[in-house]
């Protein structure tokens, strides 16, 4: 047997891994054929000038991965079937697809499948402009990764079986449900006990599961107009009849709900703390009116409190859920905004009767939310890190919002009006552009800055000239430069 392995003491990889690599490569290249006997560890150690332990360690690794096999009393041999062969399926001869296959597939689609035939907004909205007022995400530079990494690695090292296995309970890690219930009681005046808290993969999953449990095709769902497109798509895909309800400076016009009494509205979806996208806060009289309407009609209110942590003036407005008595509200919140969206952890507070159904729906959808992250997040909340982080972000985002408003005033003057509350991670601005939103956005892109029209947030025809501008992820310099470029896009667009 002829083995040439270059071993380098200065290499980062330890010698036994270098030797392992050399033998594995020789096996895969066919230089050691199946069934061939390897030199004894002693002989190999002598010929390579290594210790026997080093050689034995490489052999052990290759044995445990299925490249080598030890036959007692005879020695170590290359396996007849290598792991690469066992893992790779042979390509099967391809059968030419009949022309009609695509058509047949289309006609086989479910109502849900057909509802997804057209691209959704998120697919159309991507740009790579150097300055982007994209919204929905926090400042990634400020994510407390060191702390987060420490907690994750502590739990990974613990290797607890409970953390690794399918969960006993799809509703979430019980200590996290307790921590969320405590947090919501204090920060949002939500009235709940931990058994009403469900941990899910995002507020979007909360909407999806609740929609599936409540809505049958043809049922009426009232939605804020303009509103959160993710809610439109979710309810529409369940076959709901969508009823747009206008929004003004005090939030959703609750009186309009009464006008639709014939429609028998089953669900109303609202963002009362910080209406998406207008930024209005639902006034107290309207909150009470909405709760009374729900009590009277038996409709369910879905309260999406997606970024309520970020209010920069006045006292926080308590959640609608905590104001009402009874079972009219499903409360939804997320860690996507206060931590980061790819974490995919959110929570829902449900009336008790719904909880077992949500548990079963969650189990059917995806079993559970990842447990390692749930363990880490429990510690992150309980040791006060979450509240500290939110306090820091509140200061940061408040100053970024102020900067954006200041620069809009300075560069666009009376052509721009900021609407909505002093809150959140994005604001809505009315900008008189004298052109369509698409034309303005294209001109802005020409000036290497991007922003979104609020047009896609309307269920009815949009009025145009309304733009959503995210500021949480942009430093003040970029905000200033971005707005200056928007002014340039209005006044002196670059020639193509
Ligand atoms: C109003 C609103 N609700 C829900 C979501 C979805 O949040 P999650 O990331 O938790 O699914 C978003 C995301 O941007 C949102 O803007």
């Amino acid at each position: 047997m002829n083995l040439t392995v270059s071993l380098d003491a200065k290499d980062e990889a330890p010698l036994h891994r270098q030797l392992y690599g050399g033998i594995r490569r020789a096996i895969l290249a066919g230089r050691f054929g199946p069934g061939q006997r390897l030199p004894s560890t002693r002989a190999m150690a002598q010929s390579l000038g290594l210790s026997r332990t080093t050689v034995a360690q490489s052999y052990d690794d290759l044995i445990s991965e299925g490249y080598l096999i030890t036959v007692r009393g005879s020695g170590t041999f290359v396996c007849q079937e290598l792991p690469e062969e066992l893992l790779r399926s042979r390509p099967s001869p391809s059968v030419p697809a009949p022309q009609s296959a695509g058509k047949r597939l289309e006609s086989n689609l479910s109502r849900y499948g057909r509802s997804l035939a057209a691209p959704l907004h998120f697919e159309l909205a991507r740009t790579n402009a150097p300055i982007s007022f994209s919204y929905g995400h926090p400042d990634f530079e400020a994510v407390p990764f060191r702390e987060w990494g420490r907690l994750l690695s502590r739990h990974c090292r613990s290797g607890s079986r409970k953390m690794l296995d399918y969960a006993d309970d799809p509703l979430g890690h019980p200590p996290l449900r307790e921590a969320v219930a405590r947090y919501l009681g204090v920060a949002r005046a939500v009235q709940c006990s931990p058994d009403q808290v469900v941990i899910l993969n995002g507020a979007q999953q909360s909407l999806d599961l609740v929609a599936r449990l409540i809505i049958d095709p043809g049922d009426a769902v009232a939605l804020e107009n303009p509103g959160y497109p993710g809610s439109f798509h979710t309810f529409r895909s369940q076959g709901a009849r969508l009823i747009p309800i206008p929004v003004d400076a005090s939030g959703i016009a609750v009186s309009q709900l009464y006008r639709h009494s014939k429609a028998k509205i089953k669900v109303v979806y609202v963002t009362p703390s910080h209406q998406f996208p207008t930024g209005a806060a639902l006034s107290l009289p309207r909150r009470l009116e909405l709760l009374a309407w729900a009590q009277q009609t038996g409709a369910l209110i879905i309260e999406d409190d997606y970024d309520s942590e970020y209010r920069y003036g006045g006292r926080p407005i308590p959640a609608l859920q905590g104001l009402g008595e009874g079972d009219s509200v499903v409360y939804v919140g997320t860690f996507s905004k206060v931590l980061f969206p790819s974490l995919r952890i959110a929570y829902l507070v449900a009336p008790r009767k719904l909880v077992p159904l949500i548990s079963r729906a969650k189990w059917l959808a995806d079993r559970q939310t990842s447990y390692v992250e749930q363990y880490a997040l429990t510690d992150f909340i309980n040791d006060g890190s979450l509240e500290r982080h939110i306090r820091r972000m509140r200061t940061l985002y408040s100053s970024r919002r102020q900067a954006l408003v200041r620069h809009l005033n300075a560069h666009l003057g009376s052509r721009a009006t900021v609407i909505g509350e002093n809150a959140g991670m994005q604001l809505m601005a009315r900008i008189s552009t004298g052109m369509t939103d698409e034309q303005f956005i294209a001109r802005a892109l020409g000036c290497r800055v991007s922003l979104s029209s609020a047009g896609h947030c309307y269920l009815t025809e949009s009025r145009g000239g309304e733009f959503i501008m995210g500021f949480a992820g942009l430093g003040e310099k970029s905000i200033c430069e971005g707005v200056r470029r928007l002014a340039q896009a209005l006044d002196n667009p670059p020639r193509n």
Side-chain angles (χ1 to χ4, degrees):
M1 168 168 299
N2 184 14
L3 177 68
T4 42
V5 205
S6 53
L7 301 169
D8 181 355
K10 285 196 206 116
D11 194 319
E12 263 184 26
L15 287 172
H16 75 272
R17 289 304 292 172
Q18 295 183 41
L19 179 58
Y20 155 94
I23 301 175
R24 180 172 170 268
R25 277 192 297 278
I27 293 173
L28 292 178
R31 276 180 277 130
F32 291 169
Q36 194 171 338
R37 187 162 182 267
L38 264 79
S40 68
T41 50
R42 184 194 304 271
M44 178 78 91
Q46 252 174 13
S47 76
L48 295 173
L50 295 170
S51 78
R52 238 183 114 181
T53 328
T54 303
V55 177
Q57 233 177 321
S58 342
Y59 278 26
D60 282 349
D61 285 350
L62 289 158
I63 289 167
S64 68
E65 288 180 31
Y67 292 100
L68 300 180
I69 184 167
T70 310
V71 180
R72 258 195 132 159
S74 310
T76 304
F77 300 84
V78 177
C79 288
Q80 290 295 346
E81 278 186 301
L82 298 179
E84 268 69 9
E85 283 157 21
L86 296 174
L87 290 174
R88 211 171 288 149
S89 56
R90 280 178 226 293
S92 44
S94 58
V95 181
Q99 293 268 308
S100 59
K103 279 227 167 85
R104 191 161 345 121
L105 190 60
E106 260 171 41
S107 64
N108 279 343
L109 286 175
S110 67
R111 193 176 41 73
Y112 178 79
R114 287 195 302 276
S115 80
L116 299 181
L120 299 182
H121 173 71
F122 80 96
E123 295 163 90
L124 307 170
R126 294 185 193 115
T127 70
N128 48 11
I131 300 181
S132 170
F133 289 104
S134 60
Y135 59 89
H137 56 84
D139 183 352
F140 295 121
E141 303 288 319
V143 174
F145 266 119
R146 194 181 298 191
E147 170 74 351
W148 184 246
R150 195 179 56 73
L151 293 173
L152 274 183
S153 79
R154 187 206 294 162
H155 286 292
C156 285
R157 277 200 309 271
S158 84
S160 135
R161 284 189 163 234
K162 251 195 151 15
M163 185 183 74
L164 299 177
D165 204 351
Y166 285 115
D168 294 335
D169 191 346
L171 296 172
H173 180 41
L176 179 57
R177 296 169 66 199
E178 281 163 28
V180 168
R182 265 195 309 276
Y183 166 72
L184 290 178
V186 175
R188 307 294 307 123
V190 167
Q191 291 183 35
C192 68
S193 64
D195 60 306
Q196 291 172 270
V197 175
V198 187
I199 304 299
L200 294 155
N201 292 328
Q204 193 59 40
Q205 185 174 47
S206 310
L207 300 186
D208 184 52
L209 294 189
V210 174
R212 286 203 243 171
L213 290 175
I214 307 284
I215 301 302
D216 280 320
D219 285 345
V221 174
L223 296 150
E224 296 168 331
N225 187 45
Y228 172 53
S231 68
F232 306 167
H233 298 308
T234 298
F235 290 112
R236 196 179 275 137
S237 69
Q238 279 310 115
R241 241 175 333 120
L242 306 190
I243 301 191
I245 307 290
V247 170
D248 61 25
S250 306
I252 186 168
V254 180
S255 58
Q256 299 266 338
L257 287 170
Y258 286 99
R259 295 207 190 148
H260 289 280
S261 57
K262 280 212 189 104
K264 296 210 174 354
I265 294 171
K266 243 184 164 179
V267 169
V268 57
Y269 165 85
V270 284
T271 47
S273 300
H274 188 229
Q275 204 275 328
F276 186 90
T278 65
L282 189 64
S283 67
L284 184 61
R286 284 208 189 162
R287 282 169 191 250
L288 298 173
E289 200 185 351
L290 181 59
L291 288 166
W293 170 82
Q295 280 290 329
Q296 202 178 313
T297 59
L300 185 72
I301 301 169
I302 300 180
E303 175 178 21
D304 183 349
D305 217 16
Y306 66 109
D307 71 355
S308 60
E309 289 81 1
Y310 298 128
R311 246 192 109 67
Y312 313 122
R315 280 174 72 83
I317 309 168
L320 189 62
Q321 191 272 3
L323 275 179
E325 283 168 23
D327 283 351
S328 326
V329 182
V330 169
Y331 176 89
V332 173
T334 180
F335 290 102
S336 289
K337 314 295 166 180
V338 287
L339 280 171
F340 51 99
S342 73
L343 178 61
R344 306 314 300 143
I345 300 190
Y347 43 89
L348 172 156
V349 177
R352 281 208 169 73
K353 278 202 182 127
L354 261 187
V355 173
L357 306 185
I358 295 174
S359 168
R360 290 166 205 144
K362 170 74 177 164
W363 190 84
L364 284 174
D366 61 3
R367 300 292 186 267
Q368 68 201 60
T369 292
S370 168
Y371 253 52
V372 184
E373 282 82 0
Q374 289 195 54
Y375 273 55
L377 185 53
T378 309
D379 291 353
F380 193 76
I381 298 175
N382 288 342
D383 72 10
S385 301
L386 179 69
E387 288 194 47
R388 257 194 315 279
H389 177 63
I390 292 175
R391 279 198 295 274
R392 282 186 28 243
M393 292 306 100
R394 204 178 277 138
T395 314
L396 183 70
Y397 298 162
S398 167
S399 69
R400 288 181 176 176
R401 187 179 188 282
Q402 280 173 32
L404 178 54
V405 173
R406 211 173 43 245
H407 290 296
L408 283 171
N409 283 335
H411 292 285
L412 301 184
S414 61
R415 288 180 294 181
T417 314
V418 170
I419 57 172
E421 296 281 307
N422 187 8
M425 300 160 70
Q426 76 276 332
L427 56 74
M428 187 158 119
R430 291 207 173 99
I431 306 180
S432 331
T433 62
M435 58 192 108
T436 66
D437 291 0
E438 291 70 28
Q439 283 166 336
F440 180 54
I441 287 168
R443 278 201 190 185
L445 276 178
C447 297
R448 306 194 309 142
V449 57
S450 69
L451 80 174
S452 312
S453 156
H456 70 284
C457 300
Y458 278 87
L459 281 163
T460 50
E461 184 136 2
S462 103
R463 55 173 97 175
E466 292 174 337
F467 297 90
I468 309 174
M469 301 180 74
F471 50 80
L474 285 177
E476 289 193 24
K477 259 192 176 162
S478 302
I479 289 175
C480 171
E481 178 57 20
V483 176
R484 200 195 57 74
R485 291 183 191 187
L486 289 180
Q488 187 198 354
L490 279 178
D491 299 330
N492 307 300
R495 291 217 183 121
N496 288 328

